[in-house]
Amino acid sequence: MRPLMLQGHERSITQIKYNREGDLLFSCSKDQKPNVWYSLNGERLGTYDGHQGAVWCLDVDWESRKLITGAGDMTTKLWDVEYGTIIASIPTKSSVRTSHFSFSGNQAAYSTDKAMGQSCELFLIDVRNADSSLSEQEPTLRIPMTESKITSMLWGPLDETIITGHDNGNIAIWDIRKGQKVVDSGSDHTGGINDMQLSKDGTMFVTASKDTTAKLFDSESLMCLKTYKTERPVNSAAISPILDHVVLGGGQDAMEVTTTSTKAGKFDSRFFHLIYEEEFARLKGHFGPINSLAFHPDGKSYASGGEDGFVRVQTFDSTYFENIFE
C-alpha cells in the first residue's frame, strides 16, 4: 500500500495520536494549529485554532468528545472535538510539555517546563463537567518536580497513578491520592526520555530515549524487561496492539539534519520484535527525524509525524502479518 501523506502543518510535527476507535488521527505541530484527520483516507476534518505558540502535546479522551492540548504560549486548552471550540483555557507559568486524559476521561494531567525561573510542576484537573470556569479554578493536585523536568507522561492502571519520564532518564510513578512518589526506576536510561507509550492492556510501556535506546518496562514495578538498541536518539516508540512488534522512530537532533543525506537511513521507522529485541524491518519516507509514532488501534497500520511537517499513514501489507519468527 502507498502511504497517505497528510499535509496540513507548516512546521515540524510534535505529537500524533489516534482516538480509541482509530477513525480519527490528531496531530499537533509547532505551527499553533492542531489538526484532526480521517485516518482511513487522510482527509482533513478541521483545525483547532486558538493557541499562540508551538503546540507540544495533545490527547483525546475515551469518547472522542474532548481534546486537551499544551503549548508554548503558557496555556493548556480543552477543546470540543466535534465543533473545534475551546471549552476552557488554563493559564500556566511556563510552557506545557505533556498533557493526558486519564483512561476514564474524568481527569486530565499536564506538566509544565522548568523555564523562566519556574520549576517543573505536574497538575491534575477534573474535566467531568468542564467549562470556562476551569481557568480560574485551582488544580485538584499540584506536585512540584525538584530534580528533573518531566518530558513525557502516562496514566497508570485504574487512574490511581501517573508515570512520568524525566529529562535525566529517570522514570517515576506518583500516587495521585497521596501526591507523592511511590516507585523510582533509578537510572535505566542515561539520556532524557522523549516518549512513553503503553501497550494495549496497560501492563507494560515502551520508552524512547536520547541515549539511543528504547526500553520496555513493567508499568507497576518499573522493571526494565527489554532493550532495543539503535545508533541515534530515539524520539518515539510504539507497541503494536496485535503482534509482538515495536516500532521506533528518531534521527539525530534537528540541528544536525542538514549535514546528512536521506539515503543514510537515519529517518526510517524501525520495527523490532518485542521479545527477541531483533530489528526485522525498516520503512523509509520522512525527510527529517521522526518525532512521533502511533499504531492504529486495530494494528493494521501506523502513523508517523516528522520534523518535515508531514504525517504519513502506512497500511501494512499482508506479508507483515504472515512474518513468523523462527
Side-chain angles (χ1 to χ4, degrees):
M1 280 282 289
R2 287 187 60 209
L4 296 170
M5 292 272 289
L6 313 188
Q7 290 173 279
H9 290 288
E10 295 163 13
R11 295 189 57 200
S12 52
I13 308 291
T14 48
Q15 193 172 17
I16 55 174
K17 210 157 240 176
Y18 282 100
N19 65 345
R20 177 172 57 107
E21 293 84 9
D23 59 335
L24 300 178
L25 176 62
F26 295 85
S27 62
C28 62
S29 78
K30 294 180 184 172
D31 66 4
Q32 311 175 4
K33 291 182 183 174
N35 284 198
V36 57
W37 314 78
Y38 280 121
S39 63
L40 191 67
N41 57 6
E43 185 186 340
R44 181 158 75 165
L45 262 165
T47 60
Y48 297 93
D49 302 350
H51 276 298
Q52 301 296 312
V55 183
W56 292 113
C57 52
L58 53 67
D59 194 22
V60 57
D61 73 350
W62 171 259
E63 297 178 320
S64 306
R65 286 180 199 272
K66 294 192 192 87
L67 179 78
I68 187 169
T69 55
D73 61 0
M74 303 198 286
T75 60
T76 296
K77 288 190 183 350
L78 270 172
W79 308 78
D80 185 302
V81 168
E82 190 178 351
Y83 298 106
T85 51
I86 297 174
I87 300 169
S89 181
I90 303 159
T92 56
K93 299 265 177 67
S94 58
S95 59
V96 181
R97 184 63 52 182
T98 63
S99 60
H100 266 280
F101 283 109
S102 65
F103 188 72
S104 63
N106 291 341
Q107 293 171 298
Y110 60 93
S111 72
T112 57
D113 267 356
K114 183 178 177 180
M116 301 181 294
Q118 302 294 331
S119 64
C120 168
E121 288 184 302
L122 177 65
F123 297 93
L124 230 77
I125 49 172
D126 192 314
V127 293
R128 265 174 288 211
N129 37 14
D131 53 24
S132 54
S133 67
L134 199 64
S135 49
E136 283 94 52
Q137 288 170 19
E138 277 293 303
T140 49
L141 178 66
R142 181 176 183 162
I143 308 174
M145 299 288 152
T146 47
E147 294 163 18
S148 176
K149 79 165 190 183
I150 297 175
T151 49
S152 58
M153 173 176 69
L154 292 170
W155 279 83
L158 298 174
D159 298 353
E160 289 170 352
T161 55
I162 288 178
I163 307 166
T164 56
H166 295 260
D167 207 19
N168 60 2
N170 270 14
I171 301 170
I173 295 183
W174 303 82
D175 187 314
I176 59 174
R177 292 203 185 119
K178 300 177 191 157
Q180 61 196 39
K181 193 189 290 187
V182 280
V183 190
D184 196 323
S185 74
S187 51
D188 280 308
H189 277 296
T190 52
I193 290 166
N194 292 325
D195 186 26
M196 303 197 298
Q197 294 197 29
L198 280 168
S199 62
K200 192 179 182 191
D201 56 6
T203 54
M204 50 197 181
F205 63 92
V206 66
T207 57
S209 169
K210 284 183 188 153
D211 66 7
T212 72
T213 64
K215 290 181 193 263
L216 190 70
F217 287 91
D218 181 88
S219 55
E220 296 214 347
S221 64
L222 292 189
M223 191 173 106
C224 180
L225 307 169
K226 299 285 174 191
T227 303
Y228 313 100
K229 293 189 177 76
T230 68
E231 315 77 67
R232 53 192 70 87
V234 185
N235 292 342
S236 188
I239 303 175
S240 166
I242 52 170
L243 296 167
D244 290 333
H245 294 168
V246 183
V247 59
L248 271 53
Q252 67 285 66
D253 285 331
M255 54 189 175
E256 294 167 17
V257 168
T258 47
T259 58
T260 52
S261 77
T262 14
K263 294 191 185 71
K266 298 235 187 333
F267 311 133
D268 304 357
S269 302
R270 306 168 69 156
F271 286 81
F272 282 77
H273 195 278
L274 183 80
I275 296 153
Y276 302 132
E277 306 176 354
E278 286 175 15
E279 185 181 353
F280 65 87
R282 282 188 191 195
L283 278 169
K284 287 191 175 63
H286 284 285
F287 298 105
I290 293 172
N291 290 339
S292 187
L293 286 164
F295 263 103
H296 190 287
D298 68 5
K300 292 178 182 165
S301 63
Y302 85 104
S304 56
E307 192 73 28
D308 53 7
F310 291 110
V311 178
R312 295 173 70 94
V313 179
Q314 180 88 47
T315 308
F316 297 119
D317 296 329
S318 57
T319 49
Y320 168 83
F321 305 102
E322 293 155 10
N323 185 10
I324 309 294
F325 270 79
E326 296 299 333

